[in-house]
Amino acid sequence: MKVTVFGIGYVGLVQAAVLASVGHDVVCVDIDQAKVDNLKKGLIPIYEPGLTPLVEETYKSGLLNFTTDAKAGVEHGDVQFIAVGTPPDEDGSADLKYVVTVAETIATHMTNAKIVINKSTVPVGTADKVTAKITSVLATRKVELEFNVVSNPEFLKEGAAVSDCKKPDRIVIGTDSEDVKEAMRELYAPFNRNHERIIFMDVRSAELTKYAANCMLATKISFMNEMSNLAELLGADIEAVRHGIGSDSRIGYQFIYPGCGYGGSCFPKDVQALVQTAHKVNYKPALLEAVESVNFHQKKKLFTHLHNHFSGDLAGKTIAIWGLSFKPQTDDMREAPARELMEALWQAGAIVQAYDPEAMEECQRIYGTRNDLTLAGTKESALKNADALVICTEWSQFKAPDFDTIAQQLNNKVLIDGRNLFEPSSMKKKGFTYYAIGRGESVKKV
Ligand SMILES: NC(=O)c1ccc[n+]([C@@H]2O[C@H](COP(=O)([O-])OP(=O)(O)OC[C@H]3O[C@@H](n4cnc5c(N)ncnc54)[C@H](O)[C@@H]3O)[C@@H](O)[C@H]2O)c1
């Protein structure tokens, strides 16, 4: 099928490359000229396992193309994906300006029937807004053309985006049109061979499904973080509790890790956006508000440990940070706990020496060059003469480090572990002052 994807980000680029890899003829449109130029040279703007060879291969085959020419993009695809960002605006609602702009672009240039697929995460009712925008532009152009707006939310996980897209758990499609259902079956047939993955529903339910999924996951994280705070106060070990509850098949082990709070481009903004959606229909989403509030406080936890350990005097201290991305296997630092920590440290006059396997360029892009930030070439060099080490992201290479090297390089054997990678008793034996999340004996009461 001829497919156009608007927005070459984490979702758009992965989706486009995966669709091209099974034989669809895909054109990607973005407003970022540099991004398009780089992609044509084989420079992939994001780190995502397996993405670079997939893009190279599909670009070479001619089935994946990149352009800033929106008119050419609209002409190309019978199917037009909208995969642009939906960032939070001032009150936390999803800002739909990029989505609406693409709808306007499609309506301005279309000359035949189109299926417009909303892949961006958008509030319930957005398909109606996109439909209204296209209708009004077509009316201004005085042309009558058939189009359908479909909700097809994306559930990929950054860090596993390519495999998630190739083997989705489910393909949610919100539409009432039988013709559109048939076209969507054809589009996704290569991903639907093993068993039926397509779940058809009405548009509003599809839009809500995406928020419900992310809010459920965020709830699991905040629930565990709340339990970890209680464990600290009650002298219990959250890791024992985690095993104890995960063994119940109704609860399960997945996604119940306590930590330094959720980040990324999705959970924080999607929880906030659904809270705002609820307010708009005069509903108080008490649970979602609590999920957000627990996370807000949890993201301050690592700094609090440091602040308490150094009795509030962080000025001039050097803090080593391992892990900048919001989770492993990505370079995405949007809303990452490491950012909250670094910014609080700078505010307190501390110096940061950071290392991340993939997110250093992104960190440089966000913060530029500053005297109180050193981006170290290796995880070991980040430790040199630092007064403490903080682990923000659970990259594999941080899970079994050489503790002798850590002890030698640091000025003080202080380790703050935002991901509970180590056993408090064994860290104590090694002579470290070790703070983790919700682990009874690691807590320093103040
Ligand atoms: N990142 C994820 O893990 C993930 C997962 C599922 C769903 N989503 C949702 O998918 C959407 C996109 O997220 P993302 O992380 O890929 O965003 P992103 O910020 O990485 O990429 C968005 C891209 O859209 C481009 N763009 C903006 N306006 C445009 C226009 N008028 N025409 C063409 N391109 C335009 C930008 O230049 C950018 O390259 C969001 O709604 C997000 O919530 C993201």
Side-chain angles (χ1 to χ4, degrees), residues 12 15 27 41 61 80 116 148 179 181 230 273 296-297 344 368 392:
Q15 181 72 36
V27 167
K41 287 184 218 144
S61 76
Q80 306 267 319
V116 178
N148 279 284
D179 289 347
K181 282 183 189 170
L230 276 174
F296 176 82
H297 293 289
C392 290

Side-chain angles (χ1 to χ4, degrees), residues 44-359:
I44 313 300
I46 53 171
Y47 172 73
E48 195 54 57
L51 184 60
T52 300
L54 194 72
V55 171
E56 276 170 8
E57 200 181 287
T58 45
Y59 182 62
K60 260 191 213 146
S61 76
L63 286 175
L64 182 64
N65 272 296
F66 306 102
T67 184
T68 51
D69 183 346
K71 184 169 184 281
V74 174
E75 271 166 15
H76 173 82
D78 301 317
V79 168
Q80 306 267 319
F81 276 98
I82 304 180
V84 293
T86 45
D89 65 20
E90 306 90 62
D91 69 354
S93 309
D95 183 345
L96 293 176
K97 67 171 177 277
Y98 303 109
V99 170
V100 172
T101 300
V102 175
E104 193 171 3
T105 303
I106 294 170
T108 303
H109 299 300
M110 65 192 273
T111 51
N112 59 351
K114 302 286 181 197
I115 297 176
V116 178
I117 304 179
N118 225 336
K119 202 149 245 321
S120 300
T121 301
V122 289
V124 175
T126 302
D128 294 341
K129 285 190 181 148
V130 168
T131 302
K133 176 52 84 180
I134 297 175
T135 306
S136 88
V137 175
L138 290 179
T140 312
R141 287 177 56 202
K142 297 192 173 50
V143 289
E144 269 183 41
L145 291 166
E146 200 188 318
F147 69 94
N148 279 284
V149 179
V150 182
S151 169
N152 172 214
E154 181 53 59
F155 297 96
L156 63 77
K157 299 181 285 295
E158 281 181 27
V162 172
S163 59
D164 284 351
C165 248
K166 282 184 169 172
K167 285 190 178 173
D169 294 332
R170 74 292 213 194
I171 302 165
V172 169
I173 296 171
T175 180
D176 295 328
S177 154
E178 291 307 317
D179 289 347
V180 171
K181 282 183 189 170
E182 204 181 310
M184 296 300 279
R185 278 199 178 285
E186 191 184 335
L187 179 71
Y188 284 119
F191 312 97
N192 202 33
R193 287 169 61 86
N194 179 270
H195 64 273
E196 183 58 82
R197 291 182 166 95
I198 297 183
I199 306 170
F200 287 116
M201 56 181 78
D202 63 277
V203 175
R204 287 182 165 249
S205 302
E207 290 171 335
L208 185 56
T209 297
K210 174 63 194 175
Y211 282 100
N214 274 359
C215 289
M216 178 63 158
L217 295 169
T219 301
K220 287 180 96 171
I221 296 175
S222 277
F223 174 81
M224 283 311 282
N225 285 336
E226 182 142 287
M227 289 304 115
S228 75
N229 291 330
L230 276 174
E232 284 180 10
L233 294 167
L234 298 169
D237 179 357
I238 192 64
E239 289 301 319
V241 175
R242 180 171 69 78
H243 284 102
I245 65 171
S247 54
D248 182 333
S249 61
R250 294 169 305 174
I251 296 174
Y253 288 108
Q254 285 204 349
F255 235 76
I256 56 167
Y257 290 97
C260 47
Y262 59 74
S265 68
C266 294
F267 293 174
K269 85 168 170 62
D270 292 349
V271 173
Q272 278 173 32
L274 192 54
V275 165
Q276 291 308 322
T277 297
H279 288 164
K280 280 175 194 150
V281 289
N282 297 320
Y283 180 81
K284 183 174 165 45
L287 179 61
L288 296 179
E289 284 170 353
V291 166
E292 207 190 342
S293 160
V294 168
N295 197 56
F296 176 82
H297 293 289
Q298 198 70 12
K299 283 173 104 174
K300 302 192 180 307
K301 191 112 195 164
L302 300 177
F303 179 77
T304 306
H305 275 313
L306 281 169
H307 182 272
N308 289 351
H309 179 84
F310 291 106
S311 308
D313 183 15
L314 283 160
K317 296 272 182 315
T318 299
I319 307 300
I321 295 181
W322 282 2
L324 295 168
S325 56
F326 82 95
K327 68 172 182 176
Q329 300 295 339
T330 179
D331 59 354
D332 197 342
M333 284 183 67
R334 289 179 279 186
E335 306 272 338
R339 286 179 70 167
E340 173 115 17
L341 172 64
M342 286 197 290
E343 287 164 22
L345 285 170
W346 291 329
Q347 190 81 34
I351 294 151
V352 172
Q353 288 181 176
Y355 171 76
D356 186 283
E358 293 295 338

